Amino acid sequence: GIKTHRYTYVVSNGYAPGEETKEYLYDDANDKYQLNPRMIEPDSEEKLILEFRKKLKNYLNLTQDPFLLISES
């Protein structure tokens, strides 16, 4: 995931093979214990979400994290 001063963006590939990828956004300013995530639709074109997706992909590329391969399959 990616964390800023205001938000935490999380991607989950599930725990079992074949589970679908899910994205969540936590508004840490209004939900400091992260109890109420906003589920993100896979086709979301919201500017904030697109920025988080790009940041996460860049970080995974930089660290050569295999999670990127799972996320793109």
Side-chain angles (χ1 to χ4, degrees):
I2 300 288
K3 183 162 178 56
T4 66
H5 291 292
R6 170 89 191 248
Y7 297 103
T8 301
Y9 169 73
V10 177
V11 177
S12 172
N13 282 333
Y15 296 101
E19 283 191 52
E20 66 183 56
T21 299
K22 295 179 183 173
E23 297 172 274
Y24 304 96
L25 185 68
Y26 295 91
D27 183 348
D28 297 331
N30 295 309
D31 183 19
K32 67 181 181 177
Y33 298 110
Q34 297 183 338
L35 299 174
N36 301 295
R38 189 178 110 201
M39 293 191 70
I40 307 302
E41 295 296 323
D43 59 351
S44 175
E45 295 290 328
E46 183 180 341
K47 183 179 176 184
L48 179 65
I49 301 306
L50 295 176
E51 289 176 17
F52 276 121
R53 287 175 178 161
K54 183 178 179 181
K55 286 180 182 182
L56 181 59
K57 186 172 184 175
N58 288 341
Y59 180 76
L60 294 174
N61 276 325
L62 179 68
T63 60
Q64 298 179 341
D65 191 310
F67 184 87
L68 183 62
L69 299 175
I70 295 168
S71 299
E72 293 182 342
S73 59

